[in-house]
Amino acid sequence: MMLIDCPFCGPRDENEFHYGGQAGIAYPEAPGELSDAEWAEYVFMRDNPRGWLRERWFHGLGCRTWFTVERHTVTHEIRKAP
């Protein structure tokens, strides 16, 4: 079990949250002009480091807010994103 510290509700069980993916991925400026290969790159290709990764989380069973944290992909330790 992971304990995620919601910035508004405090520490809560991971079951209250929904994972939103890697943080900092910008939506394409002209999505209608992307090729299939470019769409695949945008949708599927993400960093997969062994270590700290910035992630988006949604507190669906609480304040219903999106926020960013850093999670260690090996230990699942979570800390506030800078």
Side-chain angles (χ1 to χ4, degrees):
M1 175 188 83
M2 288 191 302
L3 193 63
I4 300 174
D5 190 7
C6 174
F8 303 100
C9 303
R12 298 289 192 266
D13 185 283
E14 68 181 291
N15 294 326
E16 292 188 15
F17 299 89
H18 297 283
Y19 177 70
Q22 182 179 347
I25 305 297
Y27 191 76
E29 289 185 27
E33 298 174 9
L34 296 181
S35 68
D36 288 346
E38 291 169 323
W39 263 117
E41 178 75 20
Y42 168 73
V43 172
F44 298 112
M45 302 309 290
R46 297 291 182 256
D47 294 338
N48 189 20
R50 183 178 176 95
W52 292 102
L53 179 66
R54 289 173 46 90
E55 299 176 333
R56 299 283 293 155
W57 287 85
F58 178 67
H59 195 180
L61 296 180
C63 61
R64 303 190 56 78
T65 302
W66 283 97
F67 58 95
T68 301
V69 299
E70 287 187 339
R71 181 179 63 88
H72 195 282
T73 59
V74 176
T75 66
H76 299 292
E77 178 185 350
I78 293 181
R79 64 184 184 195
K80 292 182 181 178

